[in-house]
Each structure stands twice: as C-alpha cells, then as structure tokens.
Amino acid sequence: MNLFITLLAAVFVNNFIFSKFLGICPFLGVSKKVETAAGMGIAVIFVMTLASAATWLVHKFVLVSLGIEYMYNIAFILIIASLVQFVEMFIKKSSPSLYQALGVYLPLITTNCAVLGVTVTNMENGYGFLQSLVNGIGAAVGFALAIVLFAGVRERIASSPIPKPFQGFPIALITAGLMSIAFLGFSGML
Amino acid sequence: MNAIITPILVLGCMGLIFGAILGFASIIFRVEKDPKVDEVRECLPGANCGGCGFAGCDALADAIASGKAAVNACPVGGSVVAEKIGAIMGIKADASEKKTAFVMCNGDCDSAKDKYKYYGVADCDLENGLNGGHKACSYGCLGDGNCVKACNFDAIHVVNGVAVVDKEKCVACGACIKACPKHLIELVPYKSKVKVACSSKDMPKASKDNCSNACMGCKLCEKNCPFDAVHITDFLAKVDYSKCKQCGKCLEKCPTKAIQKRA
C-alpha cells in the first residue's frame, strides 16, 4: 500500500513537470507531435527506472560506507551519463527496432535534470531500494503523461487562429501554466 | 587530508571504471556499418523530404547501400545524383524520367461557383470537414494552401483560388500530394504539355453548372485523339502519358478548356 501511494504521489501530486518544474527543456522541445512525445516519454520511463536503481546502489554501498555522501551530485551525474551511454550501445546492438524508436531520444536524456531530480529526491527522502524504484517509475510516468497531454494540446493549437503576439512559444508557455494549475487539483488527493 | 583524498580517489575510480566499461562495451556492442552508406548519403540532397518513400535521406542511403532501393530512387536528385550513386554502387543508373507535380483543378474564383462562404481558419483539412468545402464542385481545389505549407521548395502557390505548381522549382518530392485532402495533385512527366485540369466525376450537367472550366465527359477528345491516348472514365478525361505525342488535337476540340496545354 505504501508503494502504491508513492507511485500515485509521484505521477500526479508531485508531477515532475507541473509541480516541480523539472525537465522543462524536453517538455517544450519534443512536444509538437503526440507520436514523438510518446517516444520521449517511454525513453524517460526506461532511463529513470534504471537510474533510480543504479544510483541507489552506488549511494548506499559506495558513498555512505565511505562517508562522502556530500559528493552525491557529481557521482549521480557520472552514473546517469555513463548508464545512458551504455544502454544506448546495448540497445543498438541487441534490438535495432527498439533503437529506431528510442535511439534519438536517449542522448537527449543524458543531461536531463528530471533524471537527476528523481535520484536526488530518492536519496533525500531516505527511500529503500524498492521504494526508490517505484518513485522513479512514477515520476517518469508522470513526465510521459504530461508531455503526451501537452503535445495533444499543441497539435490543436497549431491549427487554431492564435493572435499574432501569442503565436509559437508564448501560447505554449501559457498552456503549460494552465495545465500546471489544473494539476494543482491533485494536491488534495493524498 | 583524508577529507580531500577519499572523494578524489572514489570519484576518480568510479570515472575510470565507468570509462573502462563504456570502452569495452563499444568494442563488444559495435555494429558493423557499411562504409557505402556514408558515401551514398553524401550524394543525396539532404532535404529529408521523404519523396522516395523512406523516412529521410539517411534511411534511403541505408536502403540503397543494402540493395533494397534502386540507385535512382531519389526523385529530387534526378539523373545527376543517380549517376553518382551508381558509380559508388558499381551499377549503371537508368536515367529516371523527370517528373513534376500537377494540380488537376482549374476551378478558379471566376469559373467555379460557391456553395457557401467560408470564413474559418485557412486550412484545407478543416474546410474539407465542413460539407466538403465552400465550392459547389465537391472535387475542386479549396485554395487554403495546405500544399503550399507542405512544399519545402517554394514551388506551389495559390493563384486566384487554385493551387498552381511552378514547374521549374518543383522537384517531384510528392509532399503536396500527401497534403491535399482532395487528392488533386499527381506526378506527371515534366515534358508532357497536355494535361487534364479537372477531377470532377459528377454527371455532365452538374459539372457544367458547378464550374465553367469542368470536364463534362463529352468524349470529343477521345474521338479526336489519333494515338488513343485520351480516355473518359466516370465523365472525366484522363491522358495516358506513355501514348500522348503532344499533338494538341484534343485541346482544339475541348469545349470547356478542361484539357490544357501548359508549358
């Protein structure tokens, strides 16, 4: 039950985009079409889950046991960057079709602050291994949900008569703000 | 002193280990790539228009190098590019016939009647959803310019309510063909001058009432063609470009000028 609440909280209440404002760069950059947004979302789910597991292990068995927890930022960046690179190579070799679907998004995620954000949250809240994993999946699903919803709205906006000063990014940012307010409604859920 | 040395050692070791893992991984997981792919890619125009039917120039280069696509598969590059790629692949390229897009409608603002006035967003798909658009003829060009937006080469423009292709700029990538909700655009041989600028399959009287430039299916062109190159199906003339000799007899007989001679 505790894990279920963690999952739900990560997806809706603490949505990485709409309530923590992490990962805004890919959120605005890769959200012009639902198809690419979904691809990005799936890639993020994949990477965040792996990163949560890997950073938890390194944090627990290397940083804590040697008494240098304060180096977590540098260590996590190192882990995430090499993990994504490794996964990219692995997928390229083992499954070319999956690489076609996710390959272009993986390098984008290497330096995505949402991935670093979820690992730091896991550590700060003192989550156990399983809970870290669930929180990672939840945060990534929340990211995917937000980006796909936003892409759907932007597809509609593209063929609407928007006043000239608001065309392009201004209307996208206003929309994102409105969606963020809508997600505020979930904060009373838990 | 330890406070400095420990983190340096730990992070240094982590960096080394990860570096070593990635280094080995790049050897173990290396994907063999055909060097021809890069050479072929160099020759292609690089507009990523998708006119070849592949996802872009990279995908086409991959397909050509592996023999899945012909060396002249790029419609944009034409025979020049086909020859270069042929040289790389060691195959003599047949010169592909140069083609150009053509809009099969000439129902401009002066000749075509309106069903209603359209004040919505200038988008063919949206207008087409409203009872097939503002024109009385349900086959006609709506003139909102989805093809213009789709064209990467500035080769198609809406003139007096109808899209017109600029033959010199058109590279026959087919982007406009996919964009047109009325399916009015087709690829025709660049050399061909005789084309039917109408797509109406309505009954003769309806066609005539709706648009003064419409093909009524009177068969005068079919009867007068000495080469058996024009045929009427569903009250609409169609030119067989492989048989047409550009003599222009059909143009003289056409009562509505639906068949045209355009340079």
Side-chain angles (χ1 to χ4, degrees):
Chain A
M1 196 59 205
N2 206 5
L3 289 179
F4 182 68
I5 288 173
T6 307
L7 184 73
L8 222 56
V11 176
F12 295 110
V13 183
N14 298 323
N15 188 291
F16 260 63
I17 287 172
F18 290 139
S19 71
K20 295 195 172 176
F21 303 104
L22 289 169
I24 297 294
C25 170
F27 175 64
L28 290 172
V30 206
S31 62
K32 280 199 178 128
K33 278 186 184 158
V34 172
E35 202 185 358
T36 48
M40 182 73 184
I42 291 166
V44 167
I45 294 175
F46 195 65
V47 169
M48 269 198 190
T49 313
L50 282 176
S52 294
T55 51
W56 189 89
L57 289 172
V58 170
H59 181 252
K60 169 95 177 171
F61 294 112
V62 180
L63 299 185
V64 173
S65 58
L66 290 171
I68 48 165
E69 297 99 318
Y70 60 91
M71 295 303 280
Y72 67 87
N73 254 334
I74 300 172
F76 286 3
I77 291 172
L78 197 63
I79 295 164
I80 293 167
S82 17
L83 183 73
V84 175
Q85 290 295 312
F86 182 79
V87 168
E88 192 187 348
M89 280 192 262
F90 180 73
I91 294 179
K92 200 172 182 177
K93 179 76 178 179
S94 61
S95 164
S97 55
L98 190 64
Y99 182 76
Q100 289 271 319
L102 295 186
V104 284
Y105 307 109
L106 283 173
L108 289 174
I109 304 168
T110 316
T111 49
N112 186 343
C113 61
V115 182
L116 184 64
V118 78
T119 56
V120 172
T121 317
N122 285 341
M123 186 206 65
E124 280 175 348
N125 290 344
Y127 286 160
F129 183 71
L130 211 56
Q131 203 168 11
S132 295
L133 211 60
V134 170
N135 190 43
I137 295 170
V141 170
F143 180 93
L145 178 75
I147 199 169
V148 170
L149 286 178
F150 189 56
V153 175
R154 276 186 89 173
E155 276 189 357
R156 293 285 186 97
I157 286 176
S159 56
S160 307
I162 309 290
K164 198 142 205 184
F166 293 112
Q167 276 172 13
F169 263 110
I171 191 73
L173 288 171
I174 292 169
T175 315
L178 290 173
M179 288 176 78
S180 169
I181 295 172
F183 264 68
L184 203 63
F186 287 118
S187 63
M189 201 164 71
L190 295 174
Chain B
M1 201 57 197
N2 263 356
I4 300 174
I5 292 174
T6 320
I8 291 176
L9 276 180
V10 172
L11 288 173
C13 284
M14 273 171 67
L16 271 179
I17 294 167
F18 290 148
I21 292 174
L22 285 183
F24 280 117
S26 71
I27 297 169
I28 296 168
F29 297 132
R30 193 173 56 198
V31 178
E32 292 295 332
K33 203 179 170 193
D34 196 339
K36 277 180 187 163
V37 174
D38 289 329
E39 286 177 43
V40 172
R41 178 65 190 79
E42 283 292 302
C43 298
L44 293 171
N48 288 317
C49 64
C52 51
F54 290 90
C57 293
D58 286 331
L60 178 63
D62 218 26
I64 291 177
S66 60
K68 282 179 208 145
V71 289
N72 59 2
C74 178
V76 178
S79 54
V80 184
V81 167
E83 249 170 57
K84 275 193 214 161
I85 297 174
I88 295 167
M89 297 297 294
I91 302 168
K92 183 112 181 68
D94 311 324
S96 56
E97 190 183 21
K98 195 179 173 195
K99 293 201 164 190
T100 180
F102 176 69
V103 182
M104 294 178 286
C105 177
N106 195 28
D108 55 24
C109 297
D110 308 321
S111 50
K113 292 202 181 69
D114 283 351
K115 194 154 45 186
Y116 60 85
K117 281 269 175 244
Y118 179 73
Y119 292 107
V121 182
D123 185 282
C124 300
D125 288 319
L126 293 178
E127 188 182 336
N128 193 28
L130 294 170
N131 198 11
H134 72 277
K135 272 185 181 155
C137 169
S138 62
Y139 297 93
C141 172
L142 301 174
D144 290 322
N146 277 20
C147 47
V148 180
K149 280 175 238 160
C151 184
N152 287 327
F153 304 93
D154 191 37
I156 189 163
H157 298 281
V158 174
V159 181
N160 199 13
V162 173
V164 178
V165 176
D166 181 342
K167 214 172 158 182
E168 298 312 316
K169 284 184 185 167
C170 179
V171 297
C173 69
C176 52
I177 296 175
K178 285 180 206 132
C180 182
K182 296 283 194 189
H183 309 295
L184 285 175
I185 310 175
E186 67 169 4
L187 288 182
V188 298
Y190 177 82
K191 284 183 226 133
S192 172
K193 294 193 177 88
V194 179
K195 287 166 276 199
V196 181
C198 183
S199 299
S200 169
K201 290 174 183 170
D202 281 333
M203 300 291 275
K205 184 163 188 318
S207 288
K208 193 166 184 264
D209 287 348
N210 290 338
C211 177
S212 60
N213 284 350
C215 172
M216 300 181 296
C218 65
K219 297 206 175 188
L220 277 176
C221 47
E222 189 176 307
K223 282 174 200 152
N224 283 289
C225 181
F227 306 105
D228 190 35
V230 189
H231 293 284
I232 304 275
T233 39
D234 299 331
F235 310 108
L236 180 63
K238 192 91 191 148
V239 178
D240 184 343
Y241 297 109
S242 60
K243 287 183 186 164
C244 178
K245 300 266 194 283
Q246 324 278 338
C247 69
K249 285 218 172 77
C250 49
L251 312 170
E252 292 157 22
K253 298 289 176 188
C254 182
T256 61
K257 304 296 163 213
I259 296 195
Q260 299 180 330
K261 193 157 195 164
R262 280 200 195 162

